[in-house]
């Protein structure tokens, strides 16, 4: 398969898009923030200080690709915008194949879906410095994974007799590090249909709009104009109460602009996805929680990607730490790695549409086969749990193929509630709220005993001395944790009976526990460092230096400066006045030293 870019169109084919990129390169030093604000101006919206051309764009997107079908070349990247965006050949190949449905899907008209692919090894990981700052305020499940890109696709396939193949086939693809599925699908709905009519100049204008957006700051209500439409969004923060939507619904304004209000940036219609399998939703929650290998076989990429994303989302606010691919093809660069029979299937959730996978992945322990997702308001026939040996033919019936025995008893209450909603024609959005709340309560009941035990590993505050290194966390001992469950287990908050102990034992060996505990451990170590800094600030350091030598005083100054740098670099949870106090202490100590030492210490690092 050959890959084309705008440069491959020949010297005489310079288009408005190329002109725009050339212009952008010429004016690279020019600032775009706030219509060309001077470099030392600060913006209240978090857009940052003195952003260069395309910095605003790259806070949201890595690039925009147009993938077309060429009779001689096959799927090919026709446009990458902005043109200076860097993609390796391997990344371009992945984008090409993942941007089109498999030929058997028969997707006529417009189709939207999402994929996720691994960043090429050897590529320098360069996250926007501002985004690092924003990332710390995000819920853990929305933090960027520097090793992966998301691709958001708007694919159009319509009959066209003027073309040799008889069909117009093209995808507009947004490549981003941000897992804001609902948001980017909404952006594509606004721009893709017109792009297919108006081509490159329209895409150029849309990208220029994105470049003027404020930065994606968690917790702020953002107004994002794109091609005459204003979208109102709010990115969640780690401080939000789980399961709540913070954005205030606007009353319809008498405005020429259409306002699109998004109550969520990342959530999918979870009930629509779980609808064919909602009788088994609790078992699927267990499989995702435990990081079990899972395949979703669906008729189209939109159904496979939505279902995979709904599965990953069902253990929220826990993050799913293993790999997941909303849409996976036989051309994927990890195809051999994930389909080999020489080792056990990896901890990954794959969404596939090619019938070939029914044979290739039949050794996987858990397979969900779904039919066409019904429109909102309709209920598909509930699928059964079937033995894996029954999944032999390509036309196997929809079902959950597994020999897994759930640890917990099925919650009949939620099933009755959802079935009643179907009978009463309750809107899918309302059903999703009920199902999402059920999953949230289940996950919280499971995780609260772990949170309580891990909090007990923290040393007492009185053991923190300013003149010693911060104390170590106690070790996590599985058996010690298990003993706490008798009195403070999930039975305090959940009505569900079953083998909770067995579920915890299995979870403690899973990638999700490993990822969760590493995150919590890092947060607790940072908290200890912050408390140590605060203890230092409360000391009378000038009195201390009177009792110590110049060498010891210089050593103290250098250590305090390192502490300041660490607090800044690692975003330690330190109060702003603590940092200011420490700077004041450092300045006072330096001024108490001889002048020659003052000059040296003032030059080393910040004060």
């Amino acid at each position: 398969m050959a890959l084309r870019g705008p440069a491959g169109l020949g010297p005489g084919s310079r288009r408005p898009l190329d002109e725009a990129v050339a212009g952008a390169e010429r004016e690279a030093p020019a600032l775009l923030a706030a219509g060309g604000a001077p470099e030392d101006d600060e913006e209240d919206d978090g857009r940052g200080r003195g952003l260069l051309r395309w910095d605003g764009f790259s806070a949201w997107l890595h690039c925009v690709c147009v993938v077309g079908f060429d009779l001689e070349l096959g799927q090919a990247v026709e446009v990458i915008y902005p043109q200076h965006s860097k993609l390796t050949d391997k990344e371009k190949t992945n984008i090409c194949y993942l941007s089109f449905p498999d030929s058997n899907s028969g997707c006529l008209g417009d189709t939207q879906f999402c994929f996720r692919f691994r960043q090429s090894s050897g590529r320098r990981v360069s996250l926007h410095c501002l985004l690092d700052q924003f990332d710390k305020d995000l819920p853990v499940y929305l933090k960027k994974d520097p090793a992966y890109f998301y691709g958001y696709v708007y694919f159009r396939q319509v009959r066209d007799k003027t073309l040799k193949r008889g069909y117009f086939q093209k995808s507009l693809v947004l490549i981003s590090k941000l897992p804001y599925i609902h948001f980017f699908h909404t952006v594509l709905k606004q721009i893709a249909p017109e792009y297919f009519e108006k081509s490159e100049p329209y895409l150029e204008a849309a990208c220029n709009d994105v470049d003027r957006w404020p930065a994606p700051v968690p917790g702020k209500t953002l107004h994002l104009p794109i091609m005459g439409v204003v979208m109102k969004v709010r990115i969640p923060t780690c401080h939000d109460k789980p399961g709540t939507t913070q954005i205030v619904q606007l009353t319809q304004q008498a405005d020429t602009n259409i306002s699109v209000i998004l109550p969520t940036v990342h959530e999918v219609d979870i009930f629509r996805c779980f609808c064919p399998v909602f009788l088994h939703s609790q078992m699927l929650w267990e499989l995702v929680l435990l990081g079990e290998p899972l395949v979703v076989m669906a008729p189209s990429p939109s159904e496979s990607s939505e279902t995979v994303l709904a599965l990953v989302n069902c253990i929220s606010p826990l993050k799913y730490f293993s790999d997941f691919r909303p849409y996976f093809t036989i051309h994927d660069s990890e195809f051999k790695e994930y389909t080999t029979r020489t080792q056990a299937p990896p901890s990954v959730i794959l969404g596939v549409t090619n019938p070939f996978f029914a044979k290739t992945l039949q050794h996987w322990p858990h397979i969900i086969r779904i039919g066409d997702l019904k429109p909102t308001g309709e209920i598909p026939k509930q699928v059964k749990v079937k033995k894996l040996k029954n999944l032999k033919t390509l036309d196997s019936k929809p079902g959950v193929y597994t020999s897994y025995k759930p640890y917990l008893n099925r919650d009949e209450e939620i099933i009755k509630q959802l079935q009643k909603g179907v009978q009463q024609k309750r809107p899918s959005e309302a059903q999703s709220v009920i199902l999402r709340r059920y999953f949230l309560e289940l996950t919280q009941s499971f995780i609260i005993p772990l949170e309580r035990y891990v909090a007990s590993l923290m040393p007492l505050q009185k053991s923190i001395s300013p003149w010693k290194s911060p104390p170590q966390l106690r070790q996590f001992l599985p058996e010690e944790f298990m003993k706490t469950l008798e009195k403070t287990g999930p039975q305090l908050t959940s009505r569900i009976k079953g083998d909770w102990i067995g579920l915890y034992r299995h979870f403690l060996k899973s990638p999700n526990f490993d990822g969760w505990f590493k995150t919590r451990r890092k947060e607790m170590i940072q908290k200890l460092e912050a408390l140590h800094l605060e203890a230092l600030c409360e000391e009378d350091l000038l009195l201390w230096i009177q009792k110590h030598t110049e060498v010891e005083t210089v050593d103290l100054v250098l250590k305090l400066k390192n502490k300041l740098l660490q607090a800044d670099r690692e975003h330690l949870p330190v109060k702003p006045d603590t940092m200011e106090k420490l700077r004041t202490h450092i300045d006072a100590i330096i001024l108490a030293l001889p002048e020659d030492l003052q000059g040296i210490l003032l030059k080393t690092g910040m004060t």
Side-chain angles (χ1 to χ4, degrees), residues 163-428:
L163 299 173
K164 271 187 184 180
R165 207 161 184 246
Y167 286 96
F168 170 89
Q169 292 173 308
K170 197 161 283 208
S171 284
L172 182 62
V173 190
L174 308 180
I175 305 295
S176 178
K177 289 279 185 184
L178 304 177
Y180 302 161
I181 294 102
H182 185 60
F183 170 73
F184 285 117
H185 279 334
T186 306
V187 171
L188 280 168
K189 268 182 198 164
Q190 301 299 331
I191 65 170
E194 282 202 64
Y195 163 71
F196 290 128
E197 303 299 325
K198 297 176 182 174
S199 204
E200 271 72 38
Y202 184 85
L203 182 60
E204 175 195 338
C207 289
N208 279 324
D209 275 354
V210 174
D211 195 38
R212 294 187 187 95
W213 285 357
V217 184
K220 288 206 170 189
T221 300
L222 306 172
H223 293 87
L224 310 174
I226 187 151
M227 305 312 286
V229 173
V230 178
M231 293 182 296
K232 183 181 179 184
V233 301
R234 181 188 178 275
I235 295 162
T237 78
C238 53
H239 310 295
D240 293 350
K241 185 181 174 185
T244 58
T245 299
Q246 302 285 330
I247 197 158
V248 181
Q249 295 288 324
L250 282 177
T251 51
Q252 194 61 44
Q253 297 170 340
D255 194 350
T256 50
N257 287 342
I258 305 161
S259 281
V260 179
I261 303 158
L262 298 186
T264 175
V265 291
H266 66 285
E267 291 170 349
V268 294
D269 187 340
I270 198 166
F271 179 71
R272 183 169 174 266
C273 300
F274 272 91
C275 203
V277 293
F278 78 72
L279 290 177
H280 319 297
S281 53
Q282 192 173 298
M283 179 180 75
L284 295 174
W285 173 85
E286 283 190 27
L287 291 174
V288 175
L289 180 77
L290 299 173
E292 286 286 307
L294 198 55
V295 184
V296 174
M297 294 185 177
S300 75
S302 57
E303 283 150 349
S304 88
S305 64
E306 276 189 47
T307 306
V308 168
L309 293 165
L311 286 166
V312 167
N313 202 241
C314 80
I315 62 168
S316 179
L318 263 183
K319 178 179 179 176
Y320 180 78
F321 279 93
S322 295
D323 190 10
F324 60 96
R325 304 299 177 91
Y327 176 49
F328 189 74
T329 76
I330 58 173
H331 303 288
D332 197 286
S333 50
E334 278 78 60
F335 174 74
K336 283 184 182 175
E337 178 189 335
Y338 284 166
T339 57
T340 179
R341 291 182 181 235
T342 58
Q343 58 194 49
S347 174
V348 62
I349 303 177
L350 297 181
V352 303
T353 62
N354 194 323
F356 178 71
F357 281 107
K359 185 178 179 182
T360 315
L361 299 176
Q362 64 181 357
H363 64 295
W364 277 47
H366 320 289
I367 296 169
I368 306 169
R369 184 154 203 137
I370 56 173
D372 292 310
L373 292 180
K374 301 290 181 186
T376 304
E378 291 184 40
I379 182 89
K381 185 182 175 185
Q382 284 297 292
V383 302
K384 295 178 179 176
V385 174
K386 303 176 183 184
K387 290 184 179 172
L388 281 163
K389 63 178 171 45
N390 295 334
L391 185 70
K392 287 180 181 173
T393 57
L394 298 183
D395 57 349
S396 295
K397 290 179 181 176
V400 180
Y401 292 82
T402 181
S403 53
Y404 177 80
K405 295 284 184 286
Y407 287 98
L408 305 181
N409 302 339
R410 193 156 76 179
D411 186 344
E412 299 297 340
E413 287 298 313
I414 185 68
I415 290 165
K416 284 178 191 169
Q417 203 176 350
L418 292 171
Q419 283 175 329
K420 188 179 178 183
V422 170
Q423 289 157 8
Q424 294 176 346
K425 295 195 166 29
R426 189 186 290 146
S428 182

Side-chain angles (χ1 to χ4, degrees), residues 440-552:
L440 173 65
E441 288 170 0
L442 190 55
T443 304
Q444 286 181 323
S445 291
F446 180 81
I447 210 70
I448 284 168
L450 275 162
E451 290 279 8
R452 191 182 287 118
Y453 173 71
V454 167
S456 75
L457 306 180
M458 188 87 166
L460 295 173
Q461 193 161 347
K462 66 181 180 184
S463 68
I464 297 169
S465 162
W467 306 114
K468 292 179 185 174
S469 295
Q472 299 287 306
L473 294 174
R474 282 201 311 115
Q475 193 180 350
F476 186 106
L477 300 171
E479 290 310 315
E480 187 180 63
F481 164 66
M482 293 298 172
K483 285 175 187 171
T484 67
L485 295 174
E486 191 179 339
K487 289 183 180 175
T488 56
Q491 70 274 10
L492 297 180
T493 51
S494 178
R495 62 176 177 259
I496 298 168
K497 307 292 183 192
D499 183 11
W500 284 96
I501 300 266
L503 185 62
Y504 279 114
R505 285 194 190 281
H506 195 153
F507 178 71
L508 294 184
K509 296 172 188 169
S510 75
N512 284 333
F513 170 73
D514 191 49
W516 173 81
F517 184 63
K518 278 180 181 167
T519 304
R520 292 292 290 113
R521 184 181 166 78
K522 183 182 175 185
E523 288 168 357
M524 288 162 76
I525 289 170
Q526 288 185 332
K527 180 66 178 170
L528 281 172
E529 291 285 356
L531 290 170
H532 187 245
L533 258 183
E534 284 168 24
L536 268 170
C537 284
E538 297 308 314
E539 286 293 302
D540 187 340
L541 297 181
L542 286 175
L543 181 65
W544 183 91
I545 66 170
Q546 288 170 20
K547 300 174 183 177
H548 292 78
T549 65
E550 275 184 13
V551 172
E552 288 171 317

